[in-house]
Amino acid sequence: MPYRFAVALLCASFATVPLLAEGEAKRLQDVKTIFVGSFGDGPGGELIRSKVVSYLVKSKRIDVVESVDSADAILTGAGELSESEYYSANANSTNANASGGTRYHATAGVRLINKEKKILWADEASNGMFYRSASSSVADKIVKALFKAIDKETKGKP
């Protein structure tokens, strides 16, 4: 008799544990598939978005899907790429030199939203000064920050 009571109690406790429906991400660590939405209509937004998709796919940590319906969460935001000209000239009594060119700057603000429109994660990124590509730098920073947040939440779970 005590055995049946223990089994019944155990079954009852599992019945009260909330189970996630397929594709329902309540926490960041529940996200297994992502749809990468628009990064805005600004200059470079689509380029930054494409590079984020590329970095996510190459990571093999999260599946990137082409349909919102197939995703646990949507990564979206606003990204922009701008350029500026720079010139530098130095001269002394023995020699002179001049240089110039174009500098690119990329920035993005992103958020990861579940199907209930709850924001699971948000961050911003801008390119580093010594990175070869401004848009690649921003995409890399976004993906690394997302994985860092997932790892932090996963380690913090009971």
Side-chain angles (χ1 to χ4, degrees), residues 57-93:
V57 169
K58 287 178 184 178
S59 77
K60 298 184 182 188
R61 288 189 58 181
I62 287 183
D63 291 328
V64 180
V65 295
E66 289 287 330
S67 165
V68 174
D69 296 333
S70 303
D72 297 328
I74 301 165
L75 182 66
T76 188
E80 186 171 286
L81 186 62
S82 61
E83 62 182 73
S84 61
E85 301 295 323
Y86 73 95
Y87 301 97
S88 174
N90 296 312
N92 60 31
S93 61

Side-chain angles (χ1 to χ4, degrees), residues 104-145:
Y104 294 93
H105 181 73
T107 186
V110 295
R111 61 195 173 279
L112 187 68
I113 305 167
N114 69 6
K115 291 191 176 187
E116 290 81 35
K117 306 292 187 225
K118 178 184 174 193
I119 298 174
L120 301 175
W121 172 80
D123 205 352
E124 59 185 67
S126 61
N127 65 298
M129 193 170 185
F130 299 108
Y131 213 86
R132 62 184 167 92
S133 165
S135 56
S136 292
S137 174
V138 167
D140 185 47
K141 286 181 178 184
I142 290 168
V143 172
K144 284 180 178 176

Side-chain angles (χ1 to χ4, degrees), residues 48-64:
I48 295 169
R49 177 195 174 276
S50 294
K51 289 187 177 187
V52 166
V53 169
S54 178
Y55 280 101
L56 286 169
V57 169
K58 287 178 184 178
S59 77
K60 298 184 182 188
R61 288 189 58 181
I62 287 183
D63 291 328
V64 180

